[in-house]
Amino acid sequence: MVRITGHVAGSIYSKTGTLIVDTLARIDATVEVAVAVIGGTVNGDIVAYERVELGPGARIHGNISTRSLGIKDGAIFDGVCTMIEGHRHSD
């Protein structure tokens, strides 16, 4: 599990890991994880093989691909969501 409390740019990858983005955190990156729990801002695409949870302070500017998506009141999602079946990654 990784918790982001500041700013990260580039890419974040962990096919079995959980990413938590705190309310004041900002990510300018592509994300590929098992679970993404977003409370802050993400500028980039998110692939989460299990689920994505957007908290009330979440600001997403990018596309989401996941098996399960939860969006709390107040979250902003500017992009396209694609629902995936099973695990698409290889290893």
Side-chain angles (χ1 to χ4, degrees):
M1 178 174 18
V2 173
R3 178 182 296 270
I4 306 296
T5 59
H7 177 252
V8 173
S11 63
I12 298 170
Y13 173 80
S14 177
K15 71 177 185 177
T16 59
T18 298
L19 172 68
I20 299 172
V21 179
D22 281 349
T23 305
L24 299 177
R26 188 179 96 221
I27 294 179
D28 296 313
T30 57
V31 175
E32 187 174 350
V33 293
V35 177
V37 180
I38 312 297
T41 301
V42 176
N43 296 307
D45 294 342
I46 300 171
V47 176
Y49 295 105
E50 293 179 25
R51 72 181 183 278
V52 173
E53 300 173 15
L54 303 182
R59 304 289 181 263
I60 309 299
H61 303 283
N63 301 319
I64 296 175
S65 296
T66 189
R67 292 178 65 194
S68 175
L69 175 63
I71 302 175
K72 300 282 187 182
D73 285 346
I76 295 174
F77 171 41
D78 180 18
V80 174
C81 181
T82 302
M83 304 307 287
I84 58 177
E85 294 181 24
H87 294 280
R88 293 192 320 185
H89 57 79
S90 60
D91 274 13

